[in-house]
Amino acid sequence: MELDKIGEYVKEVQDGGTLAVITEDRVAPLYLDRCLRSLRAAGFRTAEMVLPAGEATKNGGQYLDLLEFCAEVPLTRTDGIVALGGGMVGDLAGFTAATFLRGIRVIQVPTTLLAAVDSSVGGKTAIDLPAGKNLAGAFHQPALVVQDPSLLDSLPEDIFRDGMAEVIKYGIIADLDLFSELGDPAWVRAHIGTVIDRCVSIKKSFVEADEFDRGLRHMLNFGHTIGHAVEQLSRFTISHGSAVAIGMARMAEISAAQSWCSEEDRDRIRALLRVWGFDLAVPYPKEAVFRALCADKKRENGGLSLVTLDRIGACRIRPLPLEEVEALL
Ligand SMILES: NC(=O)c1ccc[n+]([C@@H]2O[C@H](COP(=O)([O-])OP(=O)(O)OC[C@H]3O[C@@H](n4cnc5c(N)ncnc54)[C@H](O)[C@@H]3O)[C@@H](O)[C@H]2O)c1
């Protein structure tokens, strides 16, 4: 798909009317004009809102300002929002669309690798609260996801690498062939569109089986339980991708130690993460990691579900009592 044809794609899901493009100030100079031009050429009225880049923008105050903006445009129930950006914009604009007039159309245009393979698909939208990340949100499926891999060409190397942690995760949980191909970064760069398509189809299959995250969709959290704990302990100075990489390496170690997977698979996972430059040491004592795990919002009555490894390409969800989780760590 091409950003310059977004107007044509949107026509398939919306018959005229207004589109409010929500983006942020690093993405806007790169892609906003092209997006607006194509939408106008296809006959849509447009409005735009450029927010400050960065996770700090994904907050309640900004969310309320966006609702006011939608009312002022004005958007009606047959209009839509275009979320042009990474996961921050996708989550915030998506949550705005989920709640304005009790829900209007959202079109996701991911501009980071993480957004392309993860946050733009699956319908989870959210804002952060002072008490924690993504604590207020809604399920709201996009009417359309415009995947233009050329938008990733402008990504800084570390942001691209962050998204690679999620790509590697898809290989580990569901696709041995994909996993095997990821060892060659030059190949990945040259075939990024294909890689994204394969990740999205894996995510789609889990979301279709469990849209509201009550069971099978937990599988997408491989490496994330420990990853979130590490992210939180670092006060978000360790990036999401780096924290998830640590979490995946740790889960592979735990799985091998329990003979749930082979030592060979554990070593292949650790080696691939190192190829992509991830540091796999857990920089906190295990007691601190355990305490942070206990505060995880996904904790269930008296226990935690860990996604463990059977083999590369197959994982399983294990609901475990907290004492057992502590012992595994
Ligand atoms: N909804 C979901 O299912 C889901 C899943 C995973 C993560 N998330 C959320 O996604 C967010 C993280 O997403 P992210 O990593 O994309 O972060 P982000 O949106 O903050 O983007 C990361 C950085 O890249 C810059 N950027 C974006 N696109 C660019 C481009 N094409 N060229 C140059 N720079 C560009 C941004 O300005 C920012 O500085 C978090 O808020 C997280 O909670 C949501």
Side-chain angles (χ1 to χ4, degrees):
M1 298 174 94
E2 293 166 40
L3 180 64
D4 299 304
K5 294 188 181 153
I6 186 171
E8 298 301 312
Y9 308 135
V10 177
K11 266 195 199 166
E12 305 276 318
V13 297
Q14 180 172 320
D15 185 18
T18 304
L19 289 158
V21 181
I22 298 176
T23 188
E24 42 97 320
D25 56 13
R26 284 203 193 120
V27 171
L30 299 168
Y31 304 119
L32 179 59
D33 279 351
R34 284 169 57 192
C35 181
L36 292 172
R37 221 176 303 131
S38 174
L39 291 170
R40 287 176 192 146
F44 294 104
R45 282 185 302 276
T46 61
E48 73 262 20
M49 171 67 99
V50 181
L51 306 167
E55 185 68 20
T57 293
K58 213 177 97 176
N59 64 44
Q62 200 65 253
Y63 160 68
L64 291 177
D65 287 351
L66 277 176
L67 291 176
E68 297 283 357
F69 161 72
C70 292
E72 276 160 22
V73 169
L75 295 181
T76 68
R77 296 194 73 176
T78 51
D79 297 322
I81 286 177
V82 175
L84 173 68
M88 186 283 284
V89 165
D91 273 12
L92 175 59
F95 186 50
T96 305
T99 47
F100 184 68
L101 303 179
R102 299 194 182 84
I104 63 169
R105 184 179 297 110
V106 65
I107 290 131
Q108 294 279 356
V109 188
T111 64
T112 63
L113 181 57
L114 179 134
V117 299
D118 194 359
S119 57
S120 67
V121 275
K124 282 190 184 176
T125 69
I127 55 170
D128 302 331
L129 300 182
K133 272 190 71 172
N134 297 324
L135 286 186
F139 287 95
H140 188 59
Q141 293 295 344
L144 175 71
V145 182
V146 178
Q147 292 279 11
D148 179 347
S150 74
L151 305 185
L152 309 187
D153 291 347
S154 53
L155 274 184
E157 202 52 46
D158 57 329
I159 309 280
F160 185 88
R161 199 177 57 132
D162 242 29
M164 277 309 297
E166 300 294 341
V167 172
I168 292 169
K169 176 197 78 180
Y170 287 114
I172 295 174
I173 63 173
D175 191 340
L176 173 60
D177 290 342
L178 173 65
F179 180 91
S180 305
E181 284 161 350
L182 300 178
D184 178 355
W187 183 90
V188 172
R189 282 287 193 174
H191 297 87
I192 194 65
T194 312
V195 170
I196 291 169
D197 287 349
R198 282 165 70 175
C199 294
V200 168
S201 75
I202 293 169
K203 177 145 189 189
K204 193 161 163 269
S205 66
F206 282 106
V207 172
E208 278 171 359
D210 174 25
E211 182 175 356
F212 298 109
D213 204 7
R214 298 201 174 101
L216 198 63
R217 191 168 172 169
H218 288 343
M219 207 79 94
L220 297 167
N221 285 337
F222 180 73
H224 282 59
T225 309
I226 291 177
H228 285 150
V230 168
E231 227 182 332
Q232 238 153 33
L233 288 168
S234 79
R235 294 180 192 276
F236 299 93
T237 55
I238 296 181
S239 73
H240 180 71
S242 302
V244 167
I246 291 171
M248 293 194 291
R250 211 48 212 107
M251 285 318 299
E253 276 171 4
I254 288 171
S255 301
Q258 299 299 313
S259 303
W260 293 331
C261 76
S262 67
E263 292 181 355
E264 189 196 341
D265 277 357
R266 172 199 64 196
D267 294 344
R268 284 187 72 189
I269 289 171
R270 293 180 62 84
L272 179 59
L273 291 167
R274 286 215 187 87
V275 164
W276 282 94
F278 290 111
D279 183 351
L280 304 183
V282 185
Y284 304 103
K286 53 184 182 298
E287 296 74 19
V289 174
F290 179 66
R291 272 197 305 277
L293 281 184
C294 292
D296 194 298
K297 69 177 184 296
K298 295 205 171 81
R299 189 152 83 79
E300 292 129 31
N301 294 344
L304 250 179
S305 278
L306 289 186
V307 184
T308 62
L309 186 69
D310 287 357
R311 60 181 184 283
I312 295 171
C315 287
R316 84 174 58 200
I317 301 164
R318 285 179 202 268
L320 297 167
L322 282 183
E323 313 79 69
E324 221 170 295
V325 174
E326 189 174 17
L328 286 177
L329 286 179

